[in-house]
Amino acid sequence: MRALSSLRWKIALTTTMVCCMVAAALGILVHNVVARQMVGEVRKAAATELDHALGHYEYGTAHGDVNAVFDPPDLPRRLRELVASGQTGSIVGVQGGKPVMWAAGPADDKALAVWLPFGSTRDRLRDIDTAILASAILAAGLVALAGLFLADRISRRLATTAAVARRITAGDLDARVNLPGEGDEPGPGRSRDEVRDVAHALDSMASSLQGRLEAEKRFTADVAHELRTPLTGSLAAAALLPEGRPKEMINNRLRALHLLTEDLLEISRLDSGVERADLTRVELGRAVERAVAAAAAAGSGAAPDAGPAPSVRVVRDTVVVTDRRRLDRILANLLVNAGKHGRPPVEVTVEGPVVVVRDHGPGYPPELIERGPQRFRTGDPGRGRGHGLGLTIVMGQAAVLEIVVGFANAPDGGAVTTLRLPVGRTPEGD
């Protein structure tokens, strides 16, 4: 049923139905015209014979026509009633078991009737109807094949365009339809191809989008690189300031700006597509425990009142092939995000190749769950809703590791992030 609902079959069936309707209408028209002409010729001949017979009867002469009789028993009732009313007429009937054309007229109180054989005329009409039906079937078949061929060509081109659109949506901005002749502009003597126009518009959109994204990537990388050197010097200069609250405030702001710069550089590298994972076999449960412990130690050092350390529960451990450094980076960013925007306790659960990080805060905004993380968005209402570069880096590193990331909210409150690591692959070089 799904195949019949496709565009190619819809077009083929529509053209076939239209062809059948046109063929039926033309067949009926041709049949009626030919039948009227042929029956009219026989009717005219029968009327001539009847006039001849009536003339002989009026003058009392013998006409010698063997097909003229008075009140024949096979005369159709309708024609007999017509003659009784004083009129003449003709009608197709049967005489001696054979089809004939009757013609009758009043002769005193009797009906004088003549007949002509009608069997050959009926056979000719049947032959013509058979020829019309065969021609209609042949035409419908040829139109159906032609419609199916054209519909298949259109459908394949549209399917190619849709596949390229899905690749672009997935992030492959180099994908193009490149239909032959898509750059040709319609003009005098050149037919317009709407499918080619759609493909050309999609390729143009992809090229424009790719150019803008590349410009954004270059801008991000250039800004990060330009900021890195003066920030390093500023941090060194701030270390020379006398101890006190001003020095502490300056160092905190410089460290935050330095981390932002490093995040921008990391995002730039991830966007460029040059990052490659260093895959090794890792016991996932132990790796998560170490990563969480390291992130908790780093967080407590930066903020002594950060709250209780995240808990780790290993329901079922497994060995996965991944890049431990990148996995640590993902977990660290998720824990930092939970600490900033959520509330304790923060729980990390490992069950097979799935890692779940949950806090008990207000949860993720609906926009983030629906569209994913967006850059330069934080949970602060004063700066807009959503999250910032931390979750963006999570998505970038997860793409390198082929980890599927899911964002959701727990029914009883709290943000839930699910990491599904790939299974069944081997490290490079094995």
Side-chain angles (χ1 to χ4, degrees), residues 65 110 143 167 185 189 195 237 274-275 280 381 399-401 411 424:
D65 294 331
K110 300 178 182 180
V143 170
R167 288 172 57 191
E185 293 294 334
V195 177
V274 299
E275 294 288 282
T280 58
V400 175
L401 299 180

Side-chain angles (χ1 to χ4, degrees), residues 281-288 290 317-320:
R281 288 185 174 88
V282 176
E283 293 183 9
L284 186 58
R286 294 181 59 186
V288 171
R290 288 193 292 265
D317 201 357
T318 186
V319 176
V320 296

Side-chain angles (χ1 to χ4, degrees), residues 8-276:
R8 61 168 62 90
W9 286 108
K10 288 180 179 179
I11 295 177
L13 291 176
T14 301
T15 54
T16 303
M17 290 177 60
V18 172
C19 177
C20 290
M21 294 173 62
V22 172
L26 290 177
I28 294 174
L29 179 63
V30 172
H31 169 83
N32 290 338
V33 171
V34 174
R36 187 179 297 110
Q37 181 180 1
M38 295 178 65
V39 174
E41 291 176 355
V42 178
R43 195 184 301 276
K44 182 177 180 181
T48 301
E49 291 291 329
L50 177 63
D51 292 340
H52 182 62
L54 289 173
H56 281 281
Y57 176 78
E58 182 178 355
Y59 289 103
T61 60
H63 48 71
D65 294 331
V66 295
N67 291 341
V69 294
F70 289 101
D71 293 328
D74 293 335
L75 187 66
R77 185 167 60 90
R78 291 178 55 191
L79 186 57
R80 191 183 299 276
E81 294 174 352
L82 184 67
V83 173
S85 65
Q87 304 180 51
T88 61
S90 59
I91 192 172
V92 177
V94 179
Q95 201 279 331
K98 297 180 180 180
V100 296
M101 173 66 75
W102 287 101
D108 294 335
D109 295 333
K110 300 178 182 180
L112 179 63
V114 300
W115 67 89
L116 294 177
F118 194 73
S120 60
T121 303
R122 179 171 293 180
D123 292 341
R124 288 172 59 193
L125 286 175
R126 288 176 178 173
D127 292 341
I128 291 174
D129 290 343
T130 302
I132 292 175
L133 180 61
S135 300
I137 294 175
L138 179 61
L142 292 176
V143 170
L145 291 177
L148 185 60
F149 171 76
L150 294 176
D152 183 70
R153 184 169 179 265
I154 294 174
S155 179
R156 282 190 287 106
R157 297 167 75 193
L158 289 176
T160 301
T161 304
V164 171
R166 285 191 290 269
R167 288 172 57 191
I168 294 173
T169 302
D172 184 7
L173 297 181
D174 291 325
R176 297 290 186 274
V177 183
N178 289 329
L179 289 181
E182 65 173 288
D184 298 338
E185 293 294 334
R190 186 185 299 278
S191 61
R192 186 175 184 86
D193 189 339
E194 287 78 7
V195 177
R196 186 181 61 205
D197 293 343
V198 171
H200 178 57
L202 178 63
D203 288 348
S204 299
M205 181 198 69
S207 298
S208 177
L209 180 61
Q210 186 178 30
R212 294 184 181 183
L213 290 178
E214 291 296 334
E216 180 184 341
K217 292 176 185 178
R218 287 193 299 270
F219 175 77
T220 302
D222 292 343
V223 168
H225 279 289
E226 291 296 328
L227 289 176
R228 196 176 199 181
T229 300
L231 275 176
T232 303
S234 298
L235 285 171
L240 302 178
L241 294 174
E243 297 296 334
R245 182 60 179 167
K247 177 180 179 179
E248 181 182 350
M249 294 176 61
I250 292 174
N251 282 332
N252 287 340
R253 294 299 88 196
L254 288 176
R255 277 194 296 268
L257 190 55
H258 179 71
L259 290 176
L260 175 61
T261 303
E262 294 297 327
D263 286 345
L264 287 173
L265 287 173
E266 184 174 357
I267 290 175
S268 177
R269 291 193 300 270
L270 292 171
D271 286 343
S272 65
V274 299
E275 294 288 282
R276 296 293 180 269

